[in-house]
Amino acid sequence: IMGDSGATGALTRRRRATLAAGKGADLLPMNGRSAAVHNSRCSRYDARVKLKKCGLFHPFIHLIYCRSCHKTQESLLSSASGYNNYRGILNWCVVMLVRHKYGVLVDPIQVISLFLNDSYSWPACLVIVSNMFILVALYTERQLSKGSFTELVGFLVHCINLAIMLTFPAAVVLLVPSMTPVGGAVVLGTYTILFLKLYSYKDVNMWCREQSTVKAKTLARSLSCKSQTRVFYPGNLTIRDIYYFVSAPTLCYELNFPRSPNIRIGFLLRRLLEMLFFTQLLVGLTQQWMIPIIQSSMKPLEDMDLSRMTERLLRLAVPNHLLWLMFFYGFFHSSMNFTAELLRFGDREFYKDWWCVNSETVTYFWQNWNIPVHKWCLRHFYRPLLRRGFSKMVSQSAVFFLSAFFHEYLVSVPLRMFRLWAFMGMMAQLPLAWFVGRFLRGNYSNAAVWISLIIGQPFAILMYVHDYYVLTNECMLVGFY
């Protein structure tokens, strides 16, 4: 649990540089240290001392089994977390009020149903086919554990499997005319998540093979919790284990995930109702609020009327940002907590307080708004680059480049056009982060982060919609003639 509801006095929170976690520091509770955590650390220290005397301690094994990237904790927006720092929302309100005076009232006359005319059989089939890639990864790891595959052969099989995971669904989306943009986006999103999960699955099992099985078992047993059954390599290479990981709301694989003691039916039902409510709300507001603004923006974009383009951008900024906030809550809090509760997955830290006054830099926002992706990048991409001798600046730039690639992949392929707006938008975060961190402080930097979110997203949306509109009209004209 991230906070103690019985604590008195003002709870102060300090910023933590997440990328400094490469030093191996444990994640601390957000609102104070409990005696249980202190005792746990003491016991782990004693265990390390004993293992050193026996000659069984190895720092890399300690990294795998001790420095776990998951622990049992509640999400910040859950009432049980004890979190109450929402001061950053004030800056958001100020920015939104400034945008409001430019005119954001839209008369939702048209109710448009987008992308619902075509059959969705292709997306369903592609999601079913994704099971083949899961089984190939499991089969490869089993062969590696038995010595039937050499490390080189196993690495090549994994690379081919992961490469096909990205190219195969993209080819189907591009070549099948009946595949809608919404269906294509769902398919590619599913395959992207599975790609990141299986990459983590490959890495963790490789780390386990690099160590002696006897030493790994001895260390894990010495630090195990009596109330939880431990799994040791290669006992984790089972159908049940890999499908639990694929279904769990995390991208980072572990042999032993933290588990909650039971399923809270009331909590589960509340999250389910939230999911249904926000889904209906998102669809309704998109149809009746955003689409009319986007449609009215096509003429100014075609005429390159700068003043009207700016006015349309400001009008689109408010509904787009509100929808983004509702999507954040509905996905990262409601749906992921629903899945975690159903699977008794203990680590509920899917996001941190990116909205508060601590979010004074663009880097802080990207490190805290999507914790599953941030953990994956830190564990499987950023730290490995540092260990290979790359500088922090180069490693951070590589992380943004990878994120930019997947953003473009998830937008351009479903729309069947390549404009690189999403890619350039993500790469532009690097100079923006430098500027905000160098020249702005306090509320000004926090407001700058909000403005970049409020203005940047609708600008990219307008660019993509305009290009899609032009491309569609050109195709209709070519077909007509």
Side-chain angles (χ1 to χ4, degrees):
I1 305 301
M2 299 181 63
D4 185 2
S5 59
T8 59
L11 300 176
T12 59
R13 305 185 57 256
R14 299 179 181 177
R15 294 175 53 187
R16 294 173 175 82
T18 310
L19 296 180
K23 298 180 179 179
D26 280 338
L27 231 108
L28 296 177
M30 303 295 290
N31 293 326
R33 301 183 179 182
S34 63
V37 173
H38 176 71
N39 295 334
S40 173
R41 290 187 173 180
C42 292
S43 62
R44 278 189 276 178
Y45 175 76
D46 294 338
R48 290 199 296 269
V49 172
K50 292 179 182 179
L51 290 170
K52 283 183 178 179
K53 291 180 180 180
C54 299
L56 295 177
F57 179 78
H58 192 284
F60 198 82
I61 307 177
H62 177 71
L63 176 64
I64 296 176
Y65 288 95
C66 274
R67 303 300 183 186
S68 170
C69 65
H70 296 97
K71 65 178 182 179
T72 303
Q73 53 190 329
E74 294 288 348
S75 298
L76 285 186
L77 296 178
S78 296
S79 58
S81 69
Y83 179 80
N84 58 5
N85 182 9
Y86 300 100
R87 291 176 57 197
I89 300 297
L90 177 62
N91 290 325
W92 170 76
C93 293
V94 172
V95 172
M96 295 299 286
L97 286 174
V98 171
R99 294 288 167 254
H100 183 78
K101 73 177 184 179
Y102 286 97
V104 296
L105 297 177
V106 178
D107 185 13
I109 300 175
Q110 298 177 341
V111 179
I112 302 171
S113 180
L114 294 177
F115 311 123
L116 298 179
N117 295 325
D118 295 328
S119 172
Y120 275 77
S121 59
W122 271 104
C125 291
L126 287 174
V127 171
I128 294 173
V129 169
S130 66
N131 288 276
M132 179 184 68
F133 299 98
I134 300 173
L135 297 177
V136 169
L138 176 61
Y139 174 79
T140 304
E141 288 300 329
R142 283 181 173 178
Q143 297 304 111
L144 285 167
S145 68
K146 295 185 294 185
S148 301
F149 283 177
T150 63
E151 288 294 330
L152 178 59
V153 171
F155 175 76
L156 291 176
V157 173
H158 275 304
C159 287
I160 294 172
N161 190 45
L162 293 172
I164 295 176
M165 282 186 61
L166 292 181
T167 56
F168 167 69
V172 174
V173 171
L174 291 173
L175 297 176
V176 176
S178 62
M179 181 74 74
T180 65
V182 172
V186 171
V187 167
L188 293 182
T190 302
Y191 272 80
T192 299
I193 293 173
L194 190 58
F195 172 88
L196 299 177
K197 283 175 176 280
L198 293 185
Y199 189 95
S200 178
Y201 188 75
K202 170 192 75 71
D203 269 3
V204 173
N205 283 296
M206 179 187 67
W207 296 339
C208 290
R209 283 193 304 277
E210 289 176 352
Q211 307 303 318
S212 167
T213 304
V214 176
K215 290 184 179 181
K217 284 186 177 181
T218 302
L219 181 61
R221 189 180 298 112
S222 65
L223 300 175
S224 63
C225 177
K226 295 181 179 180
S227 62
Q228 182 174 334
T229 303
R230 306 289 294 186
V231 177
F232 308 110
Y233 182 85
N236 63 305
L237 303 178
T238 63
I239 293 285
R240 179 177 181 178
D241 179 85
I242 192 171
Y243 272 96
Y244 179 85
F245 169 56
V246 168
S247 305
T250 181
L251 299 176
C252 293
Y253 177 70
E254 289 186 5
L255 275 68
N256 298 280
F257 288 106
R259 305 293 293 272
S260 55
N262 50 43
I263 298 177
R264 297 168 292 181
I265 302 300
F267 181 90
L268 200 66
L269 291 177
R270 286 195 299 273
R271 301 292 83 82
L272 178 61
L273 291 176
E274 288 175 355
M275 290 165 56
L276 296 175
F277 172 76
F278 280 108
T279 300
Q280 296 295 325
L281 191 60
L282 285 169
V283 172
L285 290 178
T286 300
Q287 292 175 342
Q288 300 185 23
W289 197 358
M290 285 193 66
I291 292 177
I293 301 177
I294 293 173
Q295 288 180 329
S296 65
S297 303
M298 294 301 100
K299 183 63 175 175
L301 285 171
E302 290 179 355
D303 298 339
M304 296 304 294
D305 187 339
L306 184 60
S307 61
R308 293 179 64 195
M309 287 169 56
T310 304
E311 187 264 343
R312 293 296 192 277
L313 178 65
L314 293 171
R315 290 179 63 190
L316 184 63
V318 173
N320 173 80
H321 191 63
L322 291 176
L323 289 171
W324 180 78
L325 288 175
M326 285 187 286
F327 167 79
F328 167 80
Y329 186 90
F331 182 77
F332 285 96
H333 185 72
S334 300
S335 66
M336 296 187 77
N337 268 291
F338 176 83
T339 305
E341 191 70 24
L342 200 61
L343 298 175
R344 293 179 49 230
F345 185 80
D347 188 359
R348 309 295 174 88
E349 190 183 47
F350 307 125
Y351 51 86
K352 291 184 182 177
D353 56 344
W354 54 265
W355 56 81
C356 78
V357 290
N358 286 338
S359 185
E360 297 176 358
T361 64
V362 177
T363 305
Y364 184 89
F365 166 79
W366 288 111
Q367 290 174 356
N368 291 278
W369 94 278
N370 188 341
I371 294 300
V373 170
H374 175 65
K375 282 182 178 179
W376 188 94
C377 291
L378 198 65
R379 188 192 198 195
H380 298 285
F381 198 68
Y382 179 78
R383 287 176 182 168
L385 289 177
L386 291 180
R387 287 196 292 267
R388 286 172 173 80
F390 291 94
S391 66
K392 287 187 176 181
M393 179 59 67
V394 172
S395 301
Q396 289 178 8
S397 301
V399 170
F400 273 100
F401 182 87
L402 181 68
S403 178
F405 165 78
F406 278 112
H407 276 76
E408 189 65 36
Y409 174 79
L410 293 172
V411 176
S412 290
V413 176
L415 293 177
R416 297 185 179 92
M417 62 181 191
F418 301 92
R419 298 295 187 269
L420 298 180
W421 295 116
F423 182 88
M424 291 188 294
M426 280 302 302
M427 295 307 296
Q429 299 298 309
L430 286 172
L432 177 64
W434 175 83
F435 176 81
V436 173
R438 181 76 178 270
F439 298 104
L440 300 178
R441 293 291 184 273
N443 288 335
Y444 293 103
S445 58
N446 183 254
V449 174
W450 279 114
I451 292 174
S452 68
L453 296 174
I454 294 171
I455 299 298
Q457 290 177 355
F459 179 78
I461 289 174
L462 280 181
M463 294 299 100
Y464 275 110
V465 170
H466 170 261
D467 293 346
Y468 187 75
Y469 172 80
V470 172
L471 182 64
T472 304
N473 285 349
E474 287 179 355
C475 292
M476 291 176 63
L477 288 175
V478 171
F480 177 78
Y481 287 107

